[in-house]
Amino acid sequence: MAADDAETTPMSDEAVLPLLVAMLGDDVQPFELLAARAAQRAGREWAGAILGEAPASPLPLDAWLAMKNQAKRSFSRHGLAQGDDEALGAFLKYLAAIAGARRDHGASITEMSAEEVGRALGLVGPYLPEPWRACFARARAVIDPLDDQVV
Amino acid sequence: MATPRSGNFPDTRAVWISDRLAEGEAGVAEARNFVMATYQRPLEKYCMALRLGRQFGAEPEDVVNGFFASRLASPEFLRSWAGSGLRLRKWLRNGVNFYVREQLRDRNAIDRFEPPGLDSSGQPVDSAGTTGAIPGEPAADLLYDRAWATSALEGAITATKFALASAGRDHYWEIFWSSRVLGVPNETTAQSRGVTAAQVRQIVHTVADRLREAIREVLIKDGAKPADLADEIRAMLHALHDHGR
């Protein structure tokens, strides 16, 4: 859609998140930028294209770790800070691997705190296509905030 | 907890309204208009959730209009808030509760009335009757916070669009919306607008800065500390996102 055709009526659910994240300026966290990207019109399709089909059955923990490590190599803090689409896509995969490990094994495979992971999954998850949306929700539900032991 | 930022603003609550009240009639009117424009709808939602006013046949809109007419007629009401240490929205929410209680008392519609000076839990309140904590239903408080966040966000958007229009840059908002809300690639927008992608990025950045400034003004008027801006925006996000889904 061209900018000339843009509907600028505010306050739809989808508009609220990108607007508030834009207001955060330099204080923004990567997962907030990612949520704002996924909340955009066609954001769900964008996320779905990056994540592909989620495995119906649990994956071994090593598989989630491999996915996380591969994704981590594909984004830089600079790219994330710029809201670069490629970096955000890699970060989405990174977060999906963390969610999968939580969901399938109750394991933490990140240095992010349990609280931060919970906030990230809660903010991004609702904008993902199924079955990833359910995967993020399930992972968030099994997070023990006192357990930050990294595998 | 937010780290205090560069300190462009004094870390003092209630400065804006205090300054307006000190300006005489015009300033008082400006403060009053701000309160009514920003808090009318959230207070109506709150009254609706708690069915306040139903006991004496008043609609939420009537309750809030009556409350404003009763309290905002005198600058003392807002002056009292400035010294309360409460956020303006909490102060007003408490004030509505007391106003309704007064209406019930005047109509002899309640069996028991707490004497002035004490709230329902026996805690002391000031002469405006607004300091004591009101044990409102959590659901009503959530609705109120959500309605307030919506009102604050709309206020910031309106102020931003007005500032851009005043500078002859109405199209900036459309470009920002297209990029940040709709997710149109900058290259596509640049092509349709006859500018470069770098210019689109710069325009989006400019509008985001103005929005941030606008929401900061709304939050400061509500009594937020400027250093807590990011936390305040995240609280709005929580109210509008988590509770709105």
Side-chain angles (χ1 to χ4, degrees):
Chain A
M1 176 184 281
D4 303 275
D5 301 321
E7 298 164 19
T8 58
T9 306
M11 305 316 299
S12 66
D13 270 0
E14 289 72 19
V16 163
L17 186 59
L19 287 171
L20 286 171
V21 167
M23 290 176 183
L24 282 169
D26 293 340
D27 291 315
V28 75
Q29 296 289 322
F31 71 85
E32 292 165 337
L33 281 172
L34 174 58
R37 176 66 182 94
Q40 289 173 341
R41 185 176 293 178
R44 190 160 295 182
E45 288 73 18
W46 170 81
I50 287 167
L51 291 174
E53 292 297 315
S57 55
L59 284 184
L61 188 56
D62 282 351
W64 290 121
L65 269 168
M67 178 177 168
K68 186 207 81 167
N69 290 334
Q70 188 185 27
K72 195 173 182 179
R73 283 193 291 273
S74 304
F75 67 77
S76 64
R77 292 202 71 79
H78 178 72
L80 284 178
Q82 296 298 310
D84 174 72
D85 236 22
E86 205 173 320
L88 289 177
F91 188 61
L92 175 59
K93 279 186 178 173
Y94 177 81
L95 207 53
I98 291 170
R102 280 282 183 189
R103 182 196 65 176
D104 294 347
H105 304 282
S108 170
I109 58 171
T110 175
E111 298 293 337
M112 290 167 71
S113 70
E115 184 189 356
E116 193 178 2
V117 169
R119 281 192 288 132
L121 298 179
L123 199 61
V124 176
Y127 296 103
L128 300 181
E130 293 293 4
W132 287 104
R133 181 179 174 144
C135 174
F136 273 48
R138 178 67 193 144
R140 190 186 183 201
V142 299
I143 286 177
D144 178 352
L146 298 178
D147 179 19
D148 272 335
Q149 196 77 28
V150 180
V151 172
Chain B
M1 191 67 178
T3 306
R5 315 235 14 119
S6 57
N8 292 330
F9 291 83
D11 195 11
T12 307
R13 292 176 179 228
V15 168
W16 184 82
I17 280 190
S18 296
D19 285 351
R20 297 294 79 72
L21 297 179
E23 287 174 355
E25 196 48 48
V28 170
E30 191 181 348
R32 192 184 296 141
N33 289 340
F34 162 72
V35 169
M36 290 192 292
T38 308
Y39 299 92
Q40 170 99 32
R41 187 73 186 130
L43 287 170
E44 286 177 13
K45 290 259 188 185
Y46 180 73
C47 291
M48 205 176 295
L50 287 180
R51 301 179 177 184
L52 294 178
R54 189 164 287 190
Q55 304 95 319
F56 48 92
E59 295 295 326
E61 188 182 345
D62 302 326
V63 173
V64 177
N65 285 336
F67 166 68
F68 282 155
S70 156
R71 300 301 203 263
L72 294 179
S74 163
E76 285 310 309
F77 180 69
L78 289 176
R79 210 164 268 142
S80 299
W81 165 68
S84 73
L86 286 181
R87 295 294 293 270
L88 182 53
R89 65 177 183 271
K90 302 294 183 194
W91 171 267
L92 293 169
R93 181 203 61 185
N94 291 358
V96 162
N97 275 284
F98 280 98
Y99 170 76
V100 168
R101 201 174 292 179
E102 282 172 14
Q103 298 302 305
L104 291 171
R105 177 200 60 192
D106 292 347
R107 290 166 168 79
N108 294 318
I110 54 174
D111 298 331
R112 190 173 65 85
F113 171 69
E114 295 79 6
L118 295 177
D119 70 12
S120 57
S121 62
Q123 296 299 308
V125 297
D126 68 7
S127 57
T130 50
T131 305
I134 301 297
E137 289 182 21
D141 283 343
L142 287 177
L143 274 176
Y144 182 56
D145 284 345
R146 181 168 161 73
W148 177 81
T150 300
S151 179
L153 184 52
E154 286 175 345
I157 290 169
T158 300
T160 300
K161 290 170 81 171
F162 180 78
L164 291 171
S166 299
R169 294 172 172 169
D170 310 61
H171 60 294
Y172 273 32
W173 179 260
E174 292 162 16
I175 289 173
F176 168 81
W177 189 272
S178 177
S179 172
R180 295 300 288 264
V181 177
L182 301 181
V184 177
N186 288 346
E187 291 72 18
T188 307
T189 303
Q191 205 166 20
S192 70
R193 291 279 175 176
V195 296
T196 66
Q199 285 172 313
V200 170
R201 274 193 294 278
Q202 183 57 44
I203 288 169
V204 169
H205 189 69
T206 298
V207 177
D209 279 351
R210 283 185 179 273
L211 262 178
R212 183 175 166 84
E213 193 60 34
I215 198 66
R216 172 155 50 189
E217 285 184 19
V218 174
L219 287 165
I220 287 173
K221 287 173 183 176
D222 187 64
K225 294 179 180 175
D228 293 342
L229 180 63
D231 286 349
E232 294 284 343
I233 292 172
R234 289 198 172 93
M236 291 173 66
L237 196 54
H238 179 68
L240 289 172
H241 183 266
D242 293 5
H243 300 299
R245 301 189 71 80

Coordinates of all heavy atoms in Angstrom, one line a residue, chain B residues 181-239:
Chain B
V181 N 3.2 1.9 11.5 CA 1.9 1.2 11.9 C 1.5 0.2 10.8 O 1.2 -0.9 11.1 CB 0.8 2.2 12.2 CG1 -0.5 1.5 12.5 CG2 1.1 3.1 13.3
L182 N 1.6 0.6 9.6 CA 1.1 -0.3 8.5 C 2.3 -1.2 8.0 O 2.0 -2.2 7.5 CB 0.6 0.5 7.3 CG -0.6 1.4 7.6 CD1 -1.1 2.1 6.4 CD2 -1.8 0.6 8.3
G183 N 3.5 -0.8 8.3 CA 4.6 -1.6 7.9 C 5.0 -1.6 6.4 O 5.6 -2.5 5.9
V184 N 4.6 -0.5 5.7 CA 5.0 -0.3 4.3 C 6.5 -0.1 4.2 O 7.0 0.8 5.0 CB 4.2 0.9 3.7 CG1 4.6 1.1 2.3 CG2 2.7 0.7 3.8
P185 N 7.2 -0.8 3.4 CA 8.6 -0.6 3.3 C 9.0 0.9 2.9 O 8.2 1.5 2.1 CB 9.0 -1.5 2.1 CG 8.0 -2.6 2.1 CD 6.7 -1.9 2.5
N186 N 10.0 1.4 3.5 CA 10.4 2.8 3.3 C 10.6 3.0 1.8 O 10.3 4.1 1.3 CB 11.7 3.1 4.1 CG 11.4 3.2 5.5 OD1 10.2 3.3 6.0 ND2 12.4 3.2 6.3
E187 N 11.2 2.0 1.1 CA 11.4 2.2 -0.3 C 10.1 2.5 -1.1 O 10.1 3.3 -2.0 CB 12.2 1.0 -0.9 CG 13.6 0.8 -0.4 CD 13.7 0.4 1.0 OE1 12.7 -0.1 1.6 OE2 14.7 0.5 1.7
T188 N 9.1 1.7 -0.7 CA 7.8 1.9 -1.4 C 7.2 3.3 -1.1 O 6.7 4.0 -2.0 CB 6.8 0.8 -0.9 OG1 7.4 -0.5 -1.0 CG2 5.5 0.9 -1.6
T189 N 7.3 3.7 0.1 CA 6.8 5.0 0.5 C 7.6 6.1 -0.2 O 7.0 7.1 -0.7 CB 6.9 5.2 2.0 OG1 6.2 4.2 2.7 CG2 6.3 6.6 2.4
A190 N 8.9 5.9 -0.3 CA 9.8 6.9 -0.9 C 9.4 7.1 -2.4 O 9.3 8.2 -2.9 CB 11.2 6.5 -0.8
Q191 N 9.1 6.0 -3.0 CA 8.8 6.0 -4.4 C 7.4 6.8 -4.6 O 7.4 7.6 -5.5 CB 8.6 4.6 -5.0 CG 8.8 4.5 -6.4 CD 9.0 3.0 -6.8 OE1 8.6 2.1 -6.1 NE2 9.6 2.8 -8.0
S192 N 6.5 6.5 -3.8 CA 5.2 7.1 -4.0 C 5.2 8.6 -3.6 O 4.4 9.4 -4.1 CB 4.1 6.4 -3.2 OG 4.3 6.6 -1.8
R193 N 6.1 9.0 -2.8 CA 6.2 10.4 -2.3 C 7.2 11.2 -3.0 O 7.3 12.4 -2.8 CB 6.5 10.4 -0.8 CG 5.4 9.8 0.1 CD 4.4 10.9 0.3 NE 3.3 10.4 1.1 CZ 2.2 11.1 1.5 NH1 2.2 12.4 1.2 NH2 1.2 10.6 2.1
G194 N 8.0 10.5 -3.8 CA 9.0 11.3 -4.6 C 10.2 11.8 -3.7 O 10.7 12.9 -3.9
V195 N 10.5 11.0 -2.7 CA 11.6 11.3 -1.8 C 12.5 10.1 -1.7 O 12.2 9.0 -2.3 CB 11.2 11.7 -0.4 CG1 10.3 13.0 -0.4 CG2 10.3 10.6 0.3
T196 N 13.6 10.2 -1.0 CA 14.5 9.0 -0.9 C 14.1 8.2 0.4 O 13.4 8.8 1.3 CB 16.0 9.5 -0.7 OG1 16.1 10.2 0.5 CG2 16.4 10.4 -1.9
A197 N 14.6 7.0 0.4 CA 14.3 6.1 1.6 C 14.9 6.7 2.8 O 14.4 6.6 3.9 CB 14.8 4.7 1.3
A198 N 16.1 7.4 2.6 CA 16.8 8.0 3.8 C 15.9 9.1 4.3 O 15.8 9.3 5.5 CB 18.1 8.5 3.4
Q199 N 15.3 9.9 3.4 CA 14.4 11.0 3.9 C 13.2 10.4 4.6 O 12.7 11.0 5.6 CB 13.9 11.8 2.7 CG 15.0 12.7 2.2 CD 14.6 13.4 0.9 OE1 14.1 12.8 -0.1 NE2 14.9 14.7 0.8
V200 N 12.6 9.3 4.1 CA 11.5 8.6 4.8 C 12.0 8.3 6.3 O 11.2 8.5 7.2 CB 11.0 7.4 4.1 CG1 10.0 6.6 4.9 CG2 10.4 7.8 2.8
R201 N 13.1 7.7 6.4 CA 13.6 7.3 7.7 C 13.7 8.5 8.6 O 13.4 8.4 9.8 CB 15.0 6.6 7.6 CG 14.9 5.1 7.3 CD 16.2 4.4 7.5 NE 17.2 4.8 6.5 CZ 17.3 4.3 5.3 NH1 16.5 3.4 4.9 NH2 18.2 4.7 4.5
Q202 N 14.2 9.6 8.0 CA 14.4 10.8 8.8 C 13.1 11.4 9.3 O 12.9 11.8 10.4 CB 15.2 11.8 8.0 CG 15.5 13.1 8.8 CD 16.3 12.9 10.1 OE1 17.2 12.1 10.1 NE2 15.8 13.5 11.2
I203 N 12.1 11.3 8.4 CA 10.8 11.8 8.7 C 10.1 11.0 9.8 O 9.6 11.5 10.8 CB 9.9 11.9 7.5 CG1 10.3 13.0 6.5 CG2 8.4 12.0 7.8 CD1 9.7 13.0 5.2
V204 N 10.3 9.7 9.7 CA 9.7 8.8 10.7 C 10.4 9.0 12.1 O 9.7 9.1 13.1 CB 9.9 7.3 10.3 CG1 9.6 6.3 11.4 CG2 9.1 7.0 9.1
H205 N 11.7 9.3 12.0 CA 12.4 9.6 13.3 C 11.9 10.9 13.9 O 11.7 11.0 15.1 CB 13.9 9.6 12.9 CG 14.8 9.7 14.1 ND1 14.9 8.7 15.0 CD2 15.5 10.7 14.7 CE1 15.7 9.0 16.0 NE2 16.1 10.3 15.8
T206 N 11.7 11.9 13.0 CA 11.2 13.2 13.5 C 9.9 13.1 14.2 O 9.6 13.6 15.3 CB 11.1 14.2 12.3 OG1 12.4 14.3 11.8 CG2 10.6 15.5 12.8
V207 N 9.0 12.3 13.5 CA 7.6 12.2 14.1 C 7.6 11.4 15.4 O 6.9 11.7 16.3 CB 6.7 11.5 13.1 CG1 5.3 11.3 13.7 CG2 6.5 12.4 11.8
A208 N 8.5 10.4 15.4 CA 8.6 9.6 16.7 C 9.1 10.5 17.8 O 8.6 10.4 18.9 CB 9.5 8.4 16.5
D209 N 10.0 11.3 17.5 CA 10.5 12.2 18.6 C 9.4 13.2 19.0 O 9.3 13.4 20.2 CB 11.7 13.1 18.0 CG 13.0 12.3 18.0 OD1 13.0 11.2 18.6 OD2 14.0 12.8 17.4
R210 N 8.6 13.7 18.1 CA 7.5 14.6 18.5 C 6.5 13.9 19.3 O 5.9 14.4 20.3 CB 6.9 15.2 17.2 CG 7.7 16.3 16.6 CD 6.9 16.9 15.4 NE 7.6 18.0 14.8 CZ 7.6 19.3 15.3 NH1 6.9 19.6 16.3 NH2 8.3 20.2 14.6
L211 N 6.2 12.6 18.9 CA 5.2 11.8 19.7 C 5.7 11.6 21.1 O 5.0 11.7 22.1 CB 5.0 10.5 19.0 CG 3.8 10.3 18.1 CD1 3.9 8.8 17.5 CD2 2.5 10.5 18.8
R212 N 7.0 11.3 21.2 CA 7.6 11.0 22.5 C 7.5 12.3 23.4 O 7.2 12.3 24.6 CB 9.1 10.6 22.3 CG 9.8 10.3 23.6 CD 11.2 9.8 23.2 NE 12.1 9.7 24.3 CZ 12.2 8.7 25.2 NH1 11.4 7.7 25.1 NH2 13.1 8.7 26.2
E213 N 7.8 13.4 22.8 CA 7.7 14.7 23.5 C 6.2 15.0 23.9 O 6.0 15.4 25.0 CB 8.2 15.8 22.6 CG 8.4 17.1 23.3 CD 9.5 17.0 24.4 OE1 10.4 16.2 24.2 OE2 9.3 17.7 25.4
A214 N 5.3 14.7 23.0 CA 3.9 14.9 23.3 C 3.4 14.0 24.5 O 2.7 14.5 25.3 CB 3.0 14.7 22.1
I215 N 3.8 12.8 24.4 CA 3.3 11.9 25.5 C 4.0 12.3 26.8 O 3.4 12.2 27.9 CB 3.5 10.4 25.2 CG1 2.7 9.5 26.1 CG2 5.0 10.0 25.4 CD1 1.2 9.6 25.9
R216 N 5.2 12.8 26.7 CA 5.9 13.2 28.0 C 5.1 14.4 28.6 O 4.9 14.4 29.8 CB 7.3 13.7 27.6 CG 8.0 14.3 28.8 CD 9.5 14.3 28.8 NE 10.1 14.6 27.6 CZ 11.4 14.5 27.4 NH1 12.2 13.9 28.3 NH2 11.9 14.9 26.2
E217 N 4.6 15.3 27.8 CA 3.9 16.4 28.3 C 2.6 16.0 29.0 O 2.2 16.4 30.1 CB 3.5 17.4 27.2 CG 4.7 18.2 26.8 CD 4.4 19.3 25.7 OE1 3.2 19.6 25.6 OE2 5.3 19.7 25.0
V218 N 1.9 15.0 28.3 CA 0.6 14.5 28.9 C 0.9 13.8 30.3 O 0.2 14.0 31.3 CB -0.1 13.5 28.0 CG1 -1.3 12.9 28.6 CG2 -0.5 14.2 26.7
L219 N 2.0 13.1 30.3 CA 2.3 12.3 31.5 C 2.8 13.3 32.6 O 2.4 13.1 33.8 CB 3.5 11.3 31.2 CG 3.0 10.1 30.4 CD1 4.2 9.3 29.8 CD2 2.2 9.2 31.2
I220 N 3.5 14.3 32.3 CA 4.0 15.3 33.3 C 2.8 16.0 33.9 O 2.7 16.2 35.1 CB 5.0 16.2 32.7 CG1 6.3 15.5 32.5 CG2 5.2 17.4 33.6 CD1 7.4 16.3 31.8
K221 N 1.8 16.3 33.0 CA 0.6 17.0 33.5 C -0.2 16.1 34.5 O -0.9 16.6 35.3 CB -0.3 17.4 32.3 CG 0.3 18.6 31.5 CD -0.6 18.8 30.3 CE 0.0 20.0 29.5 NZ -0.7 20.2 28.2
D222 N 0.0 14.8 34.3 CA -0.7 13.9 35.2 C 0.1 13.7 36.5 O -0.4 13.0 37.4 CB -0.9 12.5 34.5 CG -1.7 11.5 35.3 OD1 -2.9 11.8 35.5 OD2 -1.2 10.5 35.7
G223 N 1.3 14.2 36.5 CA 2.1 14.1 37.7 C 3.2 13.1 37.7 O 3.8 12.8 38.7
A224 N 3.5 12.6 36.5 CA 4.6 11.7 36.4 C 5.9 12.4 36.5 O 6.0 13.6 36.2 CB 4.5 10.9 35.0
K225 N 7.0 11.6 36.9 CA 8.3 12.2 37.0 C 8.9 12.1 35.6 O 8.9 10.9 35.0 CB 9.2 11.5 38.0 CG 8.7 11.7 39.4 CD 9.6 10.9 40.4 CE 9.2 11.1 41.8 NZ 9.9 10.2 42.7
P226 N 9.5 13.1 35.0 CA 10.1 13.0 33.7 C 11.1 11.9 33.6 O 11.2 11.3 32.5 CB 10.8 14.4 33.5 CG 10.0 15.3 34.4 CD 9.6 14.5 35.6
A227 N 11.8 11.6 34.7 CA 12.8 10.6 34.6 C 12.2 9.2 34.4 O 12.9 8.2 34.0 CB 13.7 10.6 35.9
D228 N 10.9 9.0 34.7 CA 10.3 7.7 34.6 C 9.6 7.5 33.3 O 8.7 6.6 33.2 CB 9.3 7.6 35.7 CG 10.0 7.5 37.1 OD1 11.2 7.3 37.1 OD2 9.3 7.7 38.1
L229 N 9.9 8.3 32.3 CA 9.1 8.3 31.0 C 9.0 6.9 30.4 O 7.9 6.5 30.1 CB 9.7 9.3 30.0 CG 9.0 9.3 28.7 CD1 7.6 9.8 28.8 CD2 9.8 10.2 27.7
A230 N 10.1 6.2 30.3 CA 10.0 4.9 29.7 C 9.1 3.9 30.5 O 8.3 3.2 29.9 CB 11.4 4.3 29.5
D231 N 9.3 4.0 31.8 CA 8.5 3.1 32.7 C 7.0 3.4 32.5 O 6.1 2.6 32.5 CB 8.9 3.2 34.1 CG 10.2 2.5 34.4 OD1 10.6 1.8 33.6 OD2 10.7 2.7 35.5
E232 N 6.7 4.7 32.4 CA 5.3 5.2 32.2 C 4.7 4.7 30.9 O 3.6 4.3 30.9 CB 5.3 6.7 32.3 CG 5.7 7.3 33.6 CD 4.6 7.2 34.6 OE1 3.4 7.0 34.2 OE2 4.8 7.4 35.8
I233 N 5.5 4.8 29.8 CA 5.0 4.3 28.5 C 4.8 2.8 28.6 O 3.8 2.3 28.1 CB 6.0 4.7 27.4 CG1 6.0 6.2 27.3 CG2 5.6 4.0 26.1 CD1 7.1 6.7 26.3
R234 N 5.7 2.1 29.3 CA 5.5 0.6 29.4 C 4.3 0.3 30.2 O 3.6 -0.7 30.0 CB 6.8 0.0 30.0 CG 7.9 0.0 29.0 CD 9.0 -1.0 29.4 NE 10.0 -1.0 28.3 CZ 11.1 -0.2 28.3 NH1 11.4 0.6 29.3 NH2 11.9 -0.3 27.2
A235 N 4.0 1.1 31.2 CA 2.8 0.9 32.0 C 1.5 1.1 31.1 O 0.5 0.4 31.2 CB 2.7 1.9 33.2
M236 N 1.6 2.1 30.2 CA 0.5 2.3 29.2 C 0.4 1.1 28.3 O -0.7 0.6 28.0 CB 0.7 3.5 28.4 CG 0.6 4.8 29.2 SD 1.1 6.3 28.2 CE -0.2 6.3 26.9
L237 N 1.5 0.6 27.9 CA 1.6 -0.6 27.0 C 0.9 -1.8 27.7 O 0.1 -2.5 27.2 CB 3.0 -0.9 26.7 CG 3.3 -1.8 25.6 CD1 2.7 -1.4 24.3 CD2 4.9 -1.9 25.4
H238 N 1.2 -1.9 29.0 CA 0.7 -3.0 29.8 C -0.9 -2.8 29.9 O -1.6 -3.8 29.7 CB 1.3 -3.0 31.2 CG 0.8 -4.0 32.1 ND1 1.0 -5.4 31.9 CD2 0.0 -3.9 33.2 CE1 0.4 -6.1 32.9 NE2 -0.2 -5.2 33.7
A239 N -1.3 -1.6 30.2 CA -2.7 -1.4 30.3 C -3.5 -1.6 29.0 O -4.6 -2.2 29.0 CB -3.0 0.0 30.8

